[in-house]
Amino acid sequence: MKLIENYWRSINNKIRICILGGGNIGTLLLGHIGKQNNIEVNLYTSKPDKWNNEIEIYDINNVVKCRGQVNGISDKPEEVLKDSDIIISTLPSHIFPNVLRKISPFIKDKAWIGVMPGSGGVEFLCKDLIRKGCTLFGFQRVFGISRVKEYGKSVFDLGRKDELFIASIPIEKTVKVCMVMQSILNIKCRPLKNFLNVTLTPSNPILHTTRLYSMFHSYKKGMSWNSKINFYEDWTDKSSDILIACDDELQKCVTELMD
């Protein structure tokens, strides 16, 4: 933690982080980062009135693991973003472009902008911010599995990754970004050689589409379900079969391109 304190000491006396989006991963990040005394964490959300300033993190057995404090919560970017040293987006890729247009005027020069996960062409969307001196970094995958327990108040931590893989633009910042994020998240962070290692990672595009296909491929007009289908908890062998088949096809495409 001393590393990140020293890195921003010349800018201000506190490390300020803003999370974009309060879904499963965003809530877990807020709770985890908010328990650290030397970091101020804020939230940019479209539903600020539904949030508490204290987030409870529960384990799989419904026991509170820890609590984190959120400093500021707002749908006005100027209130939570203008002094942020690090911004981390957990927004879905189709929402990120519109949000980025709203917040870009309030992102200070040399701020770090992280995207979790970093696929979806974010490097193209952030090109103007990169030109003005900001650092873009992307996580190859999310840092764990979580589920909101009560929106704006609590979240289940269902398991963290053992290590994370990160790349940045400019690429020479990647090692420093990894060191800082490792200190903040308390997870080993390994640098990737190129941002394309993030952009072209197909895990979510294959995982989500194959699972949704297995759930709804037999749908016909007028069909309904008696209960909610859980994406992971109700995972089936059929879902695995389709996922493995799509992954095999992808690997064949990669092999043919390399040949």
Side-chain angles (χ1 to χ4, degrees), residues 106-259:
F106 305 99
I107 298 176
K108 66 182 183 181
D109 295 350
K110 299 185 178 180
W112 289 8
I113 305 157
V115 186
M116 180 185 288
S119 54
V122 294
E123 62 270 43
F124 301 106
L125 299 172
C126 294
K127 61 183 180 181
D128 290 337
L129 291 169
I130 295 169
R131 286 183 185 133
K132 80 171 191 177
C134 293
T135 297
L136 171 69
F137 66 98
F139 296 83
Q140 207 172 50
R141 293 177 176 85
V142 298
F143 81 129
I145 302 298
S146 60
R147 286 291 176 269
V148 168
K149 177 177 169 64
E150 185 176 359
Y151 183 80
K153 299 178 181 180
S154 56
V155 63
F156 286 107
D157 181 356
L158 302 177
R160 311 279 183 91
K161 293 284 197 306
D162 293 328
E163 57 184 4
L164 297 170
F165 295 86
I166 297 172
S168 76
I169 299 176
I171 197 65
E172 56 267 20
K173 292 283 190 70
T174 298
V175 172
K176 183 173 286 185
V177 170
C178 283
M179 294 172 68
V180 170
M181 295 314 300
Q182 180 170 302
S183 181
I184 292 171
L185 299 177
N186 195 29
I187 298 175
K188 178 69 178 177
C189 293
R190 298 188 181 276
L192 296 167
K193 293 183 178 181
N194 195 298
F195 202 86
L196 288 174
N197 292 113
V198 174
T199 299
L200 300 179
T201 296
S203 56
N204 279 355
I206 289 180
L207 177 74
H208 293 166
T209 53
T210 55
R211 174 60 175 146
L212 289 171
Y213 177 79
S214 73
M215 292 162 65
F216 302 117
H217 72 280
S218 61
Y219 173 80
K220 295 180 181 178
K221 188 175 181 179
M223 285 181 62
S224 62
W225 282 259
N226 295 325
S227 60
K228 180 176 70 175
I229 303 173
N230 293 312
F231 192 90
Y232 291 107
E233 290 87 342
D234 296 333
W235 190 279
T236 63
D237 289 342
K238 183 65 175 178
S239 303
S240 296
D241 291 340
I242 301 170
L243 174 61
I244 292 169
C246 285
D247 185 61
D248 287 343
E249 183 176 356
L250 174 68
Q251 297 307 318
K252 288 177 182 177
C253 292
V254 172
T255 302
E256 289 176 3
L257 286 172
M258 292 179 66
D259 291 342

